[in-house]
Amino acid sequence: MSVLWDSLHSTGFRWAVVEAVLVGAIGGVVGVHVMLRRLPFFVVAMSHAMFPGVVLASVAGISLFIGGTAFGLVVVAAVAVIGASRVLDQSSAIGVVLAGAFALGVLVLSAQPGSSHDLSAFLVGSILTVTPADVVTTALGGGVVILVLAALHKELVASAFDPAGSAALGYPVRRLDTLVLAAVTITMATTIPATGTLLSVALLTVPALTARVWTDRVGPAMVIAAGVGAASGLLGLAASTLWRIAAGGAIGLAATALLALALAARAAQAAHSRSPLRALPSN
C-alpha cells in the first residue's frame, strides 16, 4: 500500500485518478442507454471504427478526442444514411461501415516510426500519462453528453422501450437513435487516453449490466452504473500501480469483477429468500 501512497504524491498520478473516476462514471451513465437500445455491437464496432480517426489525429498533431470524435461522427452519419435507405438493417450497416476502418488505421500507423508503441497506447490507453488537458476534455465532453441525455431523458427512454408508440406520439425516433449513437461516440472519444479504443467497450457496457442486476428503473440504474464505473476506474488504477500491469486492462477486469460479485450476491440473496428455514416459526 505504500506504493499507492507514494504515487499519490505525484501530480501525474492524481490526474490519472481524476480521469479514471470521470471516464468510469460517464461511461456508466451512457452505458445504460447502450443497454436500453441493445447497442453493445455498435459499441464494439465503433471501438474499431474510431481507430483511424485517432491515428490520423496523432499524425496531424491534434487532439485525439477531436480526431476520434470527428471520425466517429462520420461513421454514425454513414450508418444512419445506410440504415435510412432500408437497403440494409442497422447491424448490417454498421458492419459495412466498419469493414475497412480498422485496417485503414493500422495502415496509416504502420507508416509512422515507433508504430508498435503507438498502437498499444491507442488500443488499450495509457492513463498514467494523461495530461490536465485530457482531464478537462473528458469533463467537458462527458458533461455535455450527460446534460443532453438528461434534457431528453423522457423521450430517449420512451423511444427505447416503444419505438412505434413514440413515433405515433410525434417523437423523432430516428433522430433520437442517432443522438444516442453520437453520445456513445463522444463518450468513447473521451475515454481514449485512459482505456484506448478497444477497452472503452468495458466501461460502456459492464457497469450498466451491473446496475441492471440491482434495479429495473432507468434513473437508479444510471446512478449505480456511474458509481460502478468510477469504482472500476479507481480499482483498476490501484491494481495497475501495485502490480505494474496495464491500467486499461486492469480497469476492464475490475469492472468485470464487480459484475461477477453483483451476480453472486444477487444469486445468494435469491437462494436465501427461497430457503425453507425462513418459513420455520421462531421461538
Side-chain angles (χ1 to χ4, degrees), residues 28-40:
V29 172
V30 177
V32 173
H33 286 281
V34 170
M35 294 297 107
L36 286 177
R37 281 179 156 72
R38 298 177 176 84
L39 292 175

Side-chain angles (χ1 to χ4, degrees), residues 205-207 209-211 213-214 228 232 252-269:
T205 53
V206 183
L209 286 171
T210 305
V213 172
W214 296 111
V228 171
S232 300
L253 284 175
T256 304
L258 290 176
L259 172 60
L261 287 174
L263 290 171
R266 196 58 187 263
Q269 185 183 60

